[in-house]
Amino acid sequence: MSISNTNGTKSEQEVRVWMDGCYDMVHFGHANACRQAKQMGTYLVVGVHSDAEITKHKGPPVFSEQERYKMVRAIKWVDEVVEDAPYVTALETLEKYNCQFCVHGDDITVTADGVDTYHIVKAAGRYRECKRTQGVSTTDLVGRMLLVTKSHHEPDDMLPDRENTLRMSLCKESVSPWTGASQFLATTNKIIQFSNGREPEPTDKVVYTAGAFDLFHVGHVDFLEKAKACGDYLIVGLHSDRLVNRYKGSNHPIMNLHERVLSVLACRYVDEVVIGAPYSVTMELINHFKVSRVIHGRTTYDSDIDGQNPYEVPQALKIFEQIDSGNPMSTQDIITRIIDNRLEYEKRNKKKEAKEAAAYATFQKLKAENLNESTAVNVGQQK
Ligand code: CTP
Ligand code: C5P
């Protein structure tokens, strides 16, 4: 980070930032928190809690610690992951990793005993908040999986309002002012914030791959890491919701195109994303992006709507390859795992929402009692 010295010259100084969390079912809300935390300094250390710690304080996580560690390592703003980070952030932890302060989203986090997990770092003045990403939460995603509707798709794919109302009413069980689910609105600004903004160098070997990349998971991460290793610049084509629905059926994709764009852009192996890529890889696309390799994983692929092989052109050019990610995880596995853990999830979310609602009520009451501003802010931030 550039700082001005007393003599007016600038010098580079490392500002190490600590951020911790569960990171169970990592989504672009977590990535956005990491992005903001990284901006507050120059080096971001993310502490991820172990399965045992999360089970003790929240209930068992859906994703194993090894899966969660790998997902967080793949977020492009993360410089280092500390495994098995303690649930309550201690000053010793900040010292151990040489971090100046700890960052967390502006929601509530309490231990099994209802204690603010950040009370120590707050008291020491070593706590900062970033803005939580509204409209993306595990609760909402679980809602979409359970209700077999397509109201989360792009507007042109939208089914009648009744379905949307049904999903939103399910999410309305979330009463918390911090985490209550609302619709995520993608903006160009958010896409710019997530983008690398890097064009390929003339000598770069451009690799292209396309797919749904729904509920971005560790299988995708392993695949993209290997795809990137096939060249210097990786472009990922994301199929539209309508296209994904055509070949995956039911209410797929669970995440709409804009959400999938952000999930993939947050991955450190990805340089560029094509928003709404065609199913067939055409000569125009290959020439336009100067693609020298087209990659698909070991999963099967369908014919295009006209019955043609979508990889006919790159195969004829001998630039097509199927690579093995070495990871059998699929979007359907994620859905099955989450639905199997549904009751546990609901219990956990209800508990969290109740605690947040109680804290918010206290905050409002104190504000109404006309306490001075600093006291009100202090109490409002208790987690
Ligand atoms: N976070 C965020 N926006 C979201 C979700 C999480 O900014 N939509 C932030 C949290 O505030 C926290 C970090 O991501 O600073 C790690 O989150 P985690 O411990 O996994 O918290 P949860 O609140 O449990 O995330 P979720 O409810 O989505 O599972
Ligand atoms: O199924 P989806 O379209 O999301 O997959 C995107 C790409 O990731 C495909 O090329 C698929 O073969 C690959 N993949 C993989 N290993 C996994 C999951 C997906 O190689 N476990």
Side-chain angles (χ1 to χ4, degrees):
M1 182 159 275
S2 282
I3 53 161
S4 291
N5 296 326
T6 41
N7 62 10
T9 58
K10 284 192 170 173
S11 73
E12 289 300 313
Q13 185 186 299
E14 188 177 62
V15 178
R16 292 171 64 96
V17 179
W18 173 267
M19 185 173 214
D20 53 28
C22 304
Y23 300 91
D24 198 16
M25 200 175 142
V26 172
H27 47 63
F28 60 88
H30 295 117
N32 195 32
C34 294
R35 184 188 65 80
Q36 295 175 73
K38 175 71 182 265
Q39 275 185 345
M40 295 180 196
T42 58
Y43 189 90
L44 177 62
V45 185
V46 178
V48 181
H49 309 312
S50 67
D51 294 345
E53 275 285 87
I54 300 176
T55 304
K56 185 170 145 205
H57 295 283
K58 255 178 127 172
V62 173
F63 292 90
S64 74
E65 53 200 23
Q66 292 309 327
E67 290 168 334
R68 293 183 291 106
Y69 299 152
K70 189 181 270 182
M71 286 303 287
V72 178
R73 279 199 179 98
I75 298 174
K76 67 183 177 193
W77 298 283
V78 176
D79 294 299
E80 189 179 329
V81 164
V82 170
E83 300 181 358
D84 191 12
Y87 208 78
V88 174
T89 316
L91 292 179
E92 294 75 47
T93 309
L94 295 191
E95 298 310 336
K96 185 171 171 191
Y97 296 99
N98 210 2
C99 293
Q100 273 91 326
F101 53 86
C102 162
V103 178
H104 187 266
D106 52 352
D107 63 323
I108 259 186
T109 310
V110 285
T111 66
D113 313 317
V115 176
D116 174 2
T117 52
Y118 297 104
H119 70 282
I120 300 167
V121 283
K122 279 179 187 171
R126 292 173 72 178
Y127 175 82
R128 295 209 192 158
E129 258 171 17
C130 65
K131 248 174 101 52
R132 205 177 146 91
T133 310
Q134 289 300 308
V136 53
S137 71
T138 311
T139 320
D140 184 55
L141 292 173
V142 175
R144 295 181 197 181
M145 292 173 208
L146 293 174
L147 292 169
V148 189
T149 63
K150 294 188 252 179
S151 49
H152 52 278
H153 289 181
E154 291 297 281
D156 64 332
D157 292 347
M158 276 235 191
L159 286 180
D161 265 347
R162 191 181 56 82
E163 290 188 350
N164 205 20
T165 315
L166 192 61
R167 180 173 70 80
M168 293 313 279
S169 69
L170 188 108
C171 298
K172 284 272 161 49
E173 283 177 22
S174 311
V175 290
S176 160
W178 286 284
T179 56
S182 60
Q183 205 192 349
F184 175 73
L185 299 170
T187 59
T188 48
N189 198 29
K190 186 62 61 269
I191 293 174
I192 290 165
Q193 287 168 342
F194 271 55
S195 164
N196 283 355
R198 177 172 97 83
E199 296 281 340
E201 299 294 329
T203 53
D204 277 353
K205 191 171 171 188
V206 177
V207 179
Y208 179 79
T209 189
F213 294 91
D214 192 18
L215 294 173
F216 196 70
H217 54 70
V218 279
H220 291 135
V221 167
D222 282 333
F223 168 70
L224 293 174
E225 183 177 10
K226 293 202 165 144
K228 178 62 181 265
C230 294
D232 310 298
Y233 191 91
L234 178 61
I235 304 180
V236 180
L238 290 181
H239 298 148
S240 70
D241 297 342
R242 189 181 289 271
L243 185 47
V244 176
N245 190 253
R246 196 183 79 206
Y247 63 82
K248 295 228 169 174
S250 186
N251 60 339
H252 293 270
I254 300 299
M255 280 187 154
N256 69 39
L257 179 61
H258 294 140
E259 295 169 320
R260 291 182 287 118
V261 164
L262 294 181
S263 306
V264 172
L265 273 179
C267 178
R268 64 171 66 251
Y269 308 114
V270 178
D271 295 290
E272 182 66 296
V273 160
V274 179
I275 306 172
Y279 194 67
S280 288
V281 180
T282 59
M283 190 60 94
E284 291 73 39
L285 187 145
I286 291 170
N287 288 338
H288 181 82
F289 292 111
K290 300 187 172 57
V291 175
S292 51
R293 237 152 138 206
V294 177
I295 303 287
H296 191 94
R298 280 283 157 87
T299 58
T300 53
Y301 53 87
D302 300 319
S303 302
D304 205 340
I305 201 155
D306 54 6
Q308 293 296 305
N309 166 9
Y311 294 117
E312 192 177 322
V313 175
Q315 276 168 357
L317 295 169
K318 298 200 174 0
I319 59 166
F320 177 72
E321 196 187 339
Q322 276 191 273
I323 59 170
D324 189 359
S325 66
N327 191 325
M329 178 79 82
S330 71
T331 298
Q332 192 51 50
D333 291 341
I334 306 268
I335 296 174
T336 308
R337 223 194 262 197
I338 288 182
I339 290 182
D340 286 351
N341 284 276
R342 179 192 161 188
L343 292 177
E344 204 50 60
Y345 249 129
E346 282 177 355
K347 221 167 70 195
R348 197 209 284 180
N349 281 329
K350 278 211 172 97
K351 227 161 80 185
K352 185 175 174 186
E353 294 293 337
K355 276 177 190 163
E356 292 189 2
Y360 190 70
T362 312
F363 173 56
Q364 294 293 41
K365 193 168 153 239
L366 288 171
K367 232 166 91 180
E369 284 169 8
N370 248 347
L371 282 178
N372 71 52
E373 202 174 278
S374 63
T375 315
V377 168
N378 229 351
V379 177
Q381 288 178 341
Q382 274 183 13
K383 297 191 173 193

PDB file of all heavy atoms in Angstrom, residues 16 72 92 108 155 175 197 218 236 254 268 275 317 326 329:
ATOM      1  N   ARG A  16      -1.037  -6.393   6.073  1.00  0.00           N
ATOM      2  CA  ARG A  16      -1.606  -7.742   6.062  1.00  0.00           C
ATOM      3  C   ARG A  16      -2.955  -7.723   6.772  1.00  0.00           C
ATOM      4  O   ARG A  16      -3.092  -7.198   7.867  1.00  0.00           O
ATOM      5  CB  ARG A  16      -0.631  -8.711   6.732  1.00  0.00           C
ATOM      6  CG  ARG A  16       0.643  -8.894   5.906  1.00  0.00           C
ATOM      7  CD  ARG A  16       1.672  -9.664   6.678  1.00  0.00           C
ATOM      8  NE  ARG A  16       1.261 -11.016   6.991  1.00  0.00           N
ATOM      9  CZ  ARG A  16       1.586 -12.086   6.274  1.00  0.00           C
ATOM     10  NH1 ARG A  16       2.311 -11.952   5.188  1.00  0.00           N
ATOM     11  NH2 ARG A  16       1.180 -13.278   6.644  1.00  0.00           N
ATOM     12  N   VAL A  72     -11.581 -21.706  -1.008  1.00  0.00           N
ATOM     13  CA  VAL A  72     -11.123 -20.359  -0.606  1.00  0.00           C
ATOM     14  C   VAL A  72      -9.783 -20.039  -1.279  1.00  0.00           C
ATOM     15  O   VAL A  72      -9.568 -18.921  -1.742  1.00  0.00           O
ATOM     16  CB  VAL A  72     -11.052 -20.227   0.936  1.00  0.00           C
ATOM     17  CG1 VAL A  72     -10.521 -18.857   1.336  1.00  0.00           C
ATOM     18  CG2 VAL A  72     -12.431 -20.459   1.554  1.00  0.00           C
ATOM     19  N   GLU A  92      -3.758 -13.034  19.477  1.00  0.00           N
ATOM     20  CA  GLU A  92      -2.586 -13.899  19.219  1.00  0.00           C
ATOM     21  C   GLU A  92      -2.584 -14.365  17.750  1.00  0.00           C
ATOM     22  O   GLU A  92      -1.531 -14.493  17.135  1.00  0.00           O
ATOM     23  CB  GLU A  92      -2.589 -15.156  20.106  1.00  0.00           C
ATOM     24  CG  GLU A  92      -2.408 -14.914  21.599  1.00  0.00           C
ATOM     25  CD  GLU A  92      -3.658 -14.349  22.252  1.00  0.00           C
ATOM     26  OE1 GLU A  92      -4.748 -14.894  22.001  1.00  0.00           O
ATOM     27  OE2 GLU A  92      -3.553 -13.363  23.002  1.00  0.00           O
ATOM     28  N   ILE A 108     -24.046 -10.585  11.668  1.00  0.00           N
ATOM     29  CA  ILE A 108     -23.748 -11.001  13.043  1.00  0.00           C
ATOM     30  C   ILE A 108     -23.131 -12.393  13.104  1.00  0.00           C
ATOM     31  O   ILE A 108     -23.538 -13.277  12.371  1.00  0.00           O
ATOM     32  CB  ILE A 108     -25.064 -10.943  13.833  1.00  0.00           C
ATOM     33  CG1 ILE A 108     -25.055  -9.662  14.634  1.00  0.00           C
ATOM     34  CG2 ILE A 108     -25.290 -12.142  14.673  1.00  0.00           C
ATOM     35  CD1 ILE A 108     -26.197  -9.549  15.553  1.00  0.00           C
ATOM     36  N   PRO A 155     -34.661 -12.826 -16.811  1.00  0.00           N
ATOM     37  CA  PRO A 155     -36.039 -12.374 -17.006  1.00  0.00           C
ATOM     38  C   PRO A 155     -36.744 -12.992 -18.216  1.00  0.00           C
ATOM     39  O   PRO A 155     -37.892 -13.366 -18.129  1.00  0.00           O
ATOM     40  CB  PRO A 155     -35.907 -10.872 -17.172  1.00  0.00           C
ATOM     41  CG  PRO A 155     -34.642 -10.545 -16.463  1.00  0.00           C
ATOM     42  CD  PRO A 155     -33.753 -11.735 -16.596  1.00  0.00           C
ATOM     43  N   VAL A 175     -35.668 -13.412   8.825  1.00  0.00           N
ATOM     44  CA  VAL A 175     -36.166 -12.127   9.285  1.00  0.00           C
ATOM     45  C   VAL A 175     -35.052 -11.135   9.557  1.00  0.00           C
ATOM     46  O   VAL A 175     -35.312  -9.984   9.826  1.00  0.00           O
ATOM     47  CB  VAL A 175     -37.011 -12.299  10.578  1.00  0.00           C
ATOM     48  CG1 VAL A 175     -38.325 -12.988  10.260  1.00  0.00           C
ATOM     49  CG2 VAL A 175     -36.240 -13.079  11.625  1.00  0.00           C
ATOM     50  N   GLY A 197      -9.503  -7.327 -16.003  1.00  0.00           N
ATOM     51  CA  GLY A 197      -9.240  -6.194 -16.877  1.00  0.00           C
ATOM     52  C   GLY A 197      -7.987  -6.400 -17.709  1.00  0.00           C
ATOM     53  O   GLY A 197      -7.407  -5.458 -18.230  1.00  0.00           O
ATOM     54  N   VAL A 218     -15.714 -27.471  -6.144  1.00  0.00           N
ATOM     55  CA  VAL A 218     -14.297 -27.891  -6.216  1.00  0.00           C
ATOM     56  C   VAL A 218     -13.959 -28.656  -7.487  1.00  0.00           C
ATOM     57  O   VAL A 218     -12.812 -28.604  -7.942  1.00  0.00           O
ATOM     58  CB  VAL A 218     -13.834 -28.737  -4.988  1.00  0.00           C
ATOM     59  CG1 VAL A 218     -13.495 -27.858  -3.820  1.00  0.00           C
ATOM     60  CG2 VAL A 218     -14.827 -29.771  -4.600  1.00  0.00           C
ATOM     61  N   VAL A 236     -13.493 -18.423 -20.246  1.00  0.00           N
ATOM     62  CA  VAL A 236     -14.566 -19.372 -19.937  1.00  0.00           C
ATOM     63  C   VAL A 236     -15.880 -18.849 -20.524  1.00  0.00           C
ATOM     64  O   VAL A 236     -16.313 -17.738 -20.212  1.00  0.00           O
ATOM     65  CB  VAL A 236     -14.703 -19.585 -18.407  1.00  0.00           C
ATOM     66  CG1 VAL A 236     -15.825 -20.579 -18.109  1.00  0.00           C
ATOM     67  CG2 VAL A 236     -13.393 -20.089 -17.810  1.00  0.00           C
ATOM     68  N   ILE A 254     -29.322 -23.541 -11.144  1.00  0.00           N
ATOM     69  CA  ILE A 254     -29.783 -23.013  -9.848  1.00  0.00           C
ATOM     70  C   ILE A 254     -29.322 -21.556  -9.707  1.00  0.00           C
ATOM     71  O   ILE A 254     -30.009 -20.723  -9.139  1.00  0.00           O
ATOM     72  CB  ILE A 254     -29.227 -23.875  -8.682  1.00  0.00           C
ATOM     73  CG1 ILE A 254     -29.706 -25.333  -8.809  1.00  0.00           C
ATOM     74  CG2 ILE A 254     -29.615 -23.296  -7.313  1.00  0.00           C
ATOM     75  CD1 ILE A 254     -31.198 -25.557  -8.756  1.00  0.00           C
ATOM     76  N   ARG A 268      -9.223 -17.682  -9.479  1.00  0.00           N
ATOM     77  CA  ARG A 268      -7.901 -17.158  -9.849  1.00  0.00           C
ATOM     78  C   ARG A 268      -7.378 -17.676 -11.190  1.00  0.00           C
ATOM     79  O   ARG A 268      -6.483 -17.079 -11.777  1.00  0.00           O
ATOM     80  CB  ARG A 268      -6.881 -17.419  -8.752  1.00  0.00           C
ATOM     81  CG  ARG A 268      -6.571 -18.875  -8.459  1.00  0.00           C
ATOM     82  CD  ARG A 268      -5.379 -19.013  -7.503  1.00  0.00           C
ATOM     83  NE  ARG A 268      -5.688 -18.474  -6.180  1.00  0.00           N
ATOM     84  CZ  ARG A 268      -5.174 -17.351  -5.704  1.00  0.00           C
ATOM     85  NH1 ARG A 268      -4.343 -16.642  -6.432  1.00  0.00           N
ATOM     86  NH2 ARG A 268      -5.486 -16.939  -4.485  1.00  0.00           N
ATOM     87  N   ILE A 275     -20.164 -13.933 -21.640  1.00  0.00           N
ATOM     88  CA  ILE A 275     -21.476 -13.968 -20.978  1.00  0.00           C
ATOM     89  C   ILE A 275     -22.533 -14.433 -21.980  1.00  0.00           C
ATOM     90  O   ILE A 275     -22.925 -13.678 -22.863  1.00  0.00           O
ATOM     91  CB  ILE A 275     -21.812 -12.579 -20.392  1.00  0.00           C
ATOM     92  CG1 ILE A 275     -20.672 -12.106 -19.481  1.00  0.00           C
ATOM     93  CG2 ILE A 275     -23.149 -12.613 -19.634  1.00  0.00           C
ATOM     94  CD1 ILE A 275     -20.800 -10.671 -18.994  1.00  0.00           C
ATOM     95  N   LEU A 317      -9.826 -28.864 -36.457  1.00  0.00           N
ATOM     96  CA  LEU A 317      -8.589 -28.064 -36.417  1.00  0.00           C
ATOM     97  C   LEU A 317      -7.515 -28.712 -35.538  1.00  0.00           C
ATOM     98  O   LEU A 317      -6.409 -28.191 -35.403  1.00  0.00           O
ATOM     99  CB  LEU A 317      -8.894 -26.657 -35.869  1.00  0.00           C
ATOM    100  CG  LEU A 317      -9.796 -25.745 -36.697  1.00  0.00           C
ATOM    101  CD1 LEU A 317     -10.199 -24.516 -35.900  1.00  0.00           C
ATOM    102  CD2 LEU A 317      -9.078 -25.333 -37.988  1.00  0.00           C
ATOM    103  N   GLY A 326      -9.724 -34.938 -12.420  1.00  0.00           N
ATOM    104  CA  GLY A 326      -9.361 -35.801 -11.300  1.00  0.00           C
ATOM    105  C   GLY A 326     -10.339 -35.667 -10.144  1.00  0.00           C
ATOM    106  O   GLY A 326     -10.090 -36.151  -9.033  1.00  0.00           O
ATOM    107  N   MET A 329     -16.740 -34.580  -8.525  1.00  0.00           N
ATOM    108  CA  MET A 329     -17.858 -33.732  -8.026  1.00  0.00           C
ATOM    109  C   MET A 329     -18.697 -33.172  -9.186  1.00  0.00           C
ATOM    110  O   MET A 329     -18.154 -32.761 -10.210  1.00  0.00           O
ATOM    111  CB  MET A 329     -17.257 -32.574  -7.223  1.00  0.00           C
ATOM    112  CG  MET A 329     -18.264 -31.592  -6.673  1.00  0.00           C
ATOM    113  SD  MET A 329     -19.074 -32.187  -5.189  1.00  0.00           S
ATOM    114  CE  MET A 329     -17.853 -31.767  -3.959  1.00  0.00           C
TER     115      MET A 329
END
